[in-house]
Amino acid sequence: MAVDYAVIIVYLAGMLAMGWWGMRRAKSKSEFLVAGRRLGPWMYSGTMAAIVLGGASTIGGVGLGYQYGLSGAWMVFTIGLGLLALSVFFSARIARLKVYTVSEMLDLRYGGRAGLISGVVMWAYTLMLAVTSTIAYATIFDVLFDMNRTVAIILGGAIVVAYSTLGGMWSITLTDMVQFVVKTIGVLLLLLPIAVIKAGGFSEMKAKLPTEYFDPLGIGGETIFTYVLIYTFGMLIGQDIWQRVFTARTDRTARWGGTVAGTYCLVYAIAGAVIGTAAKVMYPKLPSADAAFATIVKDELPVGVRGLVLAAALAAVMSTSSGALIACATVANNDIWSRLRGAVTRSGGEEHDEVKGNRAFILIMGVAVIAIAIALNNVVEALTVAYNLLVGGLLVPILGGLLWRRGTAAGALAAVSVGGLAVIGLMASYGILANEPVYYGLLASLAVYVIVSLATKPTDAAVLTAWRERLAGKGSEPTESAPDPVTV
């Protein structure tokens, strides 16, 4: 494994070097949090695909393929559908707002009274997303070095925290672009064809597996519907995703670059399911479906290629982890801490010393993420709680604000509160992994949003005018630096 170890070590060293390089570029709040809002289409597409395709999409996607066959692609497929919907219908308007967080968008739309509570919900979601991504390091480093779980989490988490703290979004963008290339080569161009060949080709796979493994709906209609509700809609409103939209140089870049990234996700989904199906042929009695990825990589790939594919898995985890970490820190600093101390940060205030504050929050949140990851055992339940709160509490007021003029601040606050509390109560009643909490929580949020908005005074005309101007790209914007050739 010496060659494989060398590949991984070079990769990790490269991540830290890019963090150091990014630190030299991040001189203002805009550069640190949203890469100066000047990413061109190629970098935007690559980094957007990198953040949405994490460890769950790679290791988990292969595991679902092992368990259900081709229909195991649906989880990652719905992520791609969500990214496509965001890019085609909403990304241009989101990019023109020139804000830093989802809560700032809610403040603009509803008049400055919806941000704190929505910030708390979004912070909880991004925190748990970062935690679950960080836990995945244990699986990868165990395959590589037979490493203790705690040591693996500290090592992987420390590298991500280091380059994220140094250069903020610039470092994360550069590392994500490398991670996108590594994932494409490692998973799509190497592991996929090798797995199919080792399994004897598609004809042999069909001969050895039950027919339901090749049924596109074999995973079940209710499961597919739940994936759509959680992941497709979750892509529309997550801070980690919106913060990448904010990095686009133009609204056209956000729309078309995101469409390319979403299409890539659909291909990645099918690839993961096919790899998992091939693993089922080769290893029909693995103790866990999630072990399929590591097993096929460890046993079937040649030296060097194995290291590159494991680097691809590491890249997938790191891209999601770093994106969730900076999103968590941005929300904690700008939406919660700033409001609690009575100094709400407004778009347009590009003070250089704000970089130090945001850098400190990334470090603090990073240490908290590593500590929680070490202590936490049930990853699936933690991530389910995060997504249920996100969709149940924030989907309606966010999309309502973008699509319905009559929505009010009172309606938005009621929707966040009732939807969030309903989800928590229903999870306690039905169980954390049940589908009902997000179904009924979302319906409750929608009902109170409509009823309270219609029962209260319409949003002030001046607020709506300012909102429309920002959506059209005519409102006050942060001072931007000249375009940089690196972002083309």
Side-chain angles (χ1 to χ4, degrees):
M1 295 275 290
V3 175
D4 298 321
Y5 293 159
V7 172
I8 299 297
I9 291 170
V10 169
Y11 169 76
L12 294 176
M15 297 299 99
L16 292 173
M18 288 186 180
W20 182 264
W21 189 86
M23 181 178 67
R24 300 175 63 185
R25 299 182 61 88
K27 302 300 183 183
S28 70
K29 179 181 178 181
S30 176
E31 290 173 332
F32 190 83
L33 294 181
V34 290
R37 306 186 194 273
R38 59 193 195 205
L39 294 193
W42 292 110
M43 289 194 74
Y44 179 86
S45 298
T47 56
M48 182 62 87
I51 188 177
V52 300
L53 296 174
S57 300
T58 304
I59 299 171
V62 172
L64 287 172
Y66 183 89
Q67 188 173 0
Y68 298 104
L70 298 185
S71 66
W74 273 106
M75 184 188 78
V76 183
F77 204 84
T78 55
I79 291 173
L81 292 177
L83 186 51
L84 284 171
L86 174 71
S87 301
V88 172
F89 298 112
F90 301 108
S91 64
R93 281 181 283 178
I94 293 170
R96 287 195 293 264
L97 289 174
K98 303 295 183 184
V99 295
Y100 293 103
T101 68
V102 174
S103 295
E104 285 184 49
M105 166 263 168
L106 292 174
D107 277 350
L108 282 171
R109 169 59 181 83
Y110 295 111
R113 290 183 291 164
L116 181 58
I117 187 171
S118 64
V120 172
V121 174
M122 189 64 77
W123 174 77
Y125 157 73
T126 53
L127 178 70
M128 295 316 300
L129 182 61
V131 166
T132 53
S133 299
T134 302
I135 290 173
Y137 296 128
T139 301
I140 299 170
F141 283 114
D142 178 58
V143 174
L144 282 171
F145 307 114
D146 193 24
M147 187 178 289
N148 175 270
R149 177 182 183 273
T150 298
V151 176
I153 289 172
I154 292 173
L155 175 60
I159 292 171
V160 169
V161 171
Y163 73 69
S164 300
T165 302
L166 286 172
M169 187 60 81
W170 266 124
S171 295
I172 293 171
T173 296
L174 294 170
T175 53
D176 277 359
M177 197 63 196
V178 173
Q179 289 158 358
F180 169 74
V181 173
V182 171
K183 279 191 288 190
T184 301
I185 296 173
V187 175
L188 297 185
L189 301 183
L190 293 176
L191 183 58
L192 175 60
I194 290 174
V196 172
I197 292 171
K198 291 281 188 177
F202 285 104
S203 58
E204 188 71 13
M205 290 162 62
K206 287 184 178 180
K208 291 186 175 181
L209 294 174
T211 55
E212 56 263 29
Y213 264 72
F214 302 92
D215 180 357
L217 302 179
I219 199 170
E222 184 178 357
T223 299
I224 295 171
F225 179 73
T226 302
Y227 284 159
V228 170
L229 199 60
I230 292 178
Y231 296 115
T232 300
F233 285 119
M235 286 295 105
L236 298 180
I237 59 175
Q239 169 68 25
D240 52 325
I241 309 302
W242 277 43
Q243 198 157 344
R244 295 310 175 96
V245 176
F246 301 151
T247 66
R249 187 170 58 202
T250 64
D251 53 8
R252 182 179 176 84
T253 295
R255 181 185 293 114
W256 292 109
T259 301
V260 171
T263 304
Y264 178 90
C265 291
L266 303 184
V267 175
Y268 201 88
I270 297 171
V274 171
I275 293 167
T277 304
K280 184 68 175 179
V281 173
M282 291 182 278
Y283 309 98
K285 295 183 179 180
L286 288 177
S288 167
D290 285 340
F293 180 89
T295 302
I296 195 171
V297 170
K298 193 172 184 178
D299 293 349
E300 301 297 335
L301 299 185
V303 173
V305 173
R306 179 171 49 204
L308 183 59
V309 173
L310 287 172
L314 196 58
V317 175
M318 283 188 162
S319 57
T320 299
S321 181
S322 59
L325 176 59
I326 193 172
C328 177
T330 302
V331 171
N333 187 19
N334 293 272
D335 292 336
I336 299 176
W337 174 245
S338 292
R339 296 168 194 268
L340 290 176
R341 66 190 175 97
V344 179
T345 302
R346 299 292 185 184
S347 297
E350 294 295 303
E351 297 294 337
H352 285 203
D353 59 4
E354 290 188 59
V355 173
K356 180 185 290 187
N358 284 291
R359 184 173 280 136
F361 266 87
I362 290 180
L363 181 59
I364 293 168
M365 291 297 105
V367 172
V369 163
I370 293 172
I372 296 170
I374 292 171
L376 195 64
N377 289 320
N378 199 319
V379 181
V380 175
E381 289 191 359
L383 195 58
T384 300
V385 170
Y387 268 103
N388 283 354
L389 283 172
L390 177 71
V391 174
L394 291 179
L395 179 67
V396 169
I398 291 172
L399 294 189
L402 289 169
L403 299 173
W404 192 37
R405 177 187 173 91
R406 187 61 179 80
T408 66
L413 287 170
V416 175
S417 302
V418 171
L421 291 173
V423 163
I424 293 171
L426 290 166
M427 283 191 294
S429 175
Y430 285 95
I432 289 176
L433 299 179
N435 294 328
E436 287 83 359
V438 71
Y439 294 167
Y440 300 142
L442 190 56
L443 288 174
S445 180
L446 177 61
V448 298
Y449 179 72
V450 173
I451 293 170
V452 174
S453 291
L454 292 176
T456 53
K457 184 179 178 180
T459 304
D460 186 85
V463 172
L464 288 177
T465 298
W467 166 252
R468 287 194 296 271
E469 288 180 354
R470 290 294 285 270
L471 281 178
K474 299 177 182 177
S476 59
E477 301 179 7
T479 302
E480 299 291 348
S481 304
D484 193 299
V486 171
T487 66
V488 174

